Amino acid sequence: MGRVMRKYIRLYIWILVFLSVVTLVVSKVLAEEWSYKDDRSSPEALIESYYYAINHRYYAQAYSYLINPPADFNQWKEGYGDTKSVKVKFGATSPDPGAGQIYWALPVALLAKKTDGKTVVYSGCYVIHMINPGMQGDPPYKHMGIFRVSLKETNQPFEEAVPKLCK
């Protein structure tokens, strides 16, 4: 009886070791598939983070970058329903500070790949807003965000579609 019991104990230990290894491998694979980006350190980084969230279907995160978001989140989200991915190209911008408020007019070109395989190029501007961090003494802290968007579909190639200036 003792020898049989030892065999079962060894078998049980090997099963535990095997399951532990499988769990570690699966956890590592799942962790490597997951990614996150939330960078609000510059207007360009903010827009890159916005489209990173769109490209990964993190719609709630993308929606949080909008200072005055549409009231209906689901309708806004459905607007990206046929979007597979978006690539962004930037023009030059500089801050326009005044009375504790900082605005940037950021020229952009977007290359949107649709779920049907077609691509669409958009050209326009993002207006980015931030309250001067030195003026924010009490919580909640208000992050840099997307204040206004003006985009139009264009026939220009993506590489040439960034406007020179925002109007």
Side-chain angles (χ1 to χ4, degrees):
M1 179 103 163
R3 200 179 322 169
V4 172
M5 186 61 92
R6 280 185 286 219
K7 283 183 182 180
Y8 281 119
I9 290 173
R10 275 189 247 143
L11 178 62
Y12 178 72
I13 290 171
W14 279 108
I15 290 171
L16 285 178
V17 168
F18 175 76
L19 291 176
S20 296
V21 169
V22 168
T23 301
L24 286 172
V25 169
V26 169
S27 297
K28 182 174 176 13
V29 168
L30 291 176
E32 289 174 358
E33 288 179 5
W34 182 84
S35 60
Y36 177 74
K37 180 177 183 173
D38 183 7
D39 186 348
R40 300 170 192 236
S41 62
S42 72
E44 296 87 351
L46 174 74
I47 298 303
E48 286 173 348
S49 293
Y50 177 79
Y51 283 109
Y52 180 89
I54 295 295
N55 289 340
H56 286 82
R57 312 292 183 264
Y58 302 156
Y59 296 116
Q61 178 188 347
Y63 192 76
S64 76
Y65 295 116
L66 305 174
I67 291 175
N68 299 306
D72 189 336
F73 169 74
N74 288 321
Q75 185 177 3
W76 172 85
K77 183 172 96 171
E78 287 171 11
Y80 288 101
D82 66 343
T83 303
K84 184 174 181 179
S85 66
V86 180
K87 186 176 175 184
V88 186
K89 186 173 171 109
F90 302 108
T93 190
S94 58
D96 183 15
Q101 308 294 315
I102 307 170
Y103 289 90
W104 292 264
L106 179 62
V108 298
L110 305 177
L111 177 63
K113 291 185 181 180
K114 302 295 185 172
T115 54
D116 64 4
K118 295 179 184 175
T119 58
V120 180
V121 176
Y122 296 94
S123 178
C125 292
Y126 276 83
V127 176
I128 308 301
H129 173 259
M130 184 170 88
I131 298 172
N132 185 325
M135 307 280 293
Q136 297 191 54
D138 296 317
Y141 182 80
K142 303 235 187 304
H143 296 278
M144 178 185 292
I146 299 168
F147 181 70
R148 187 173 52 243
V149 182
S150 175
L151 297 170
K152 291 185 180 178
E153 190 173 330
T154 181
N155 292 324
Q156 290 182 292
F158 172 65
E159 296 75 22
E160 300 170 12
V162 177
K164 300 287 185 238
L165 296 171
C166 289
K167 299 175 186 178

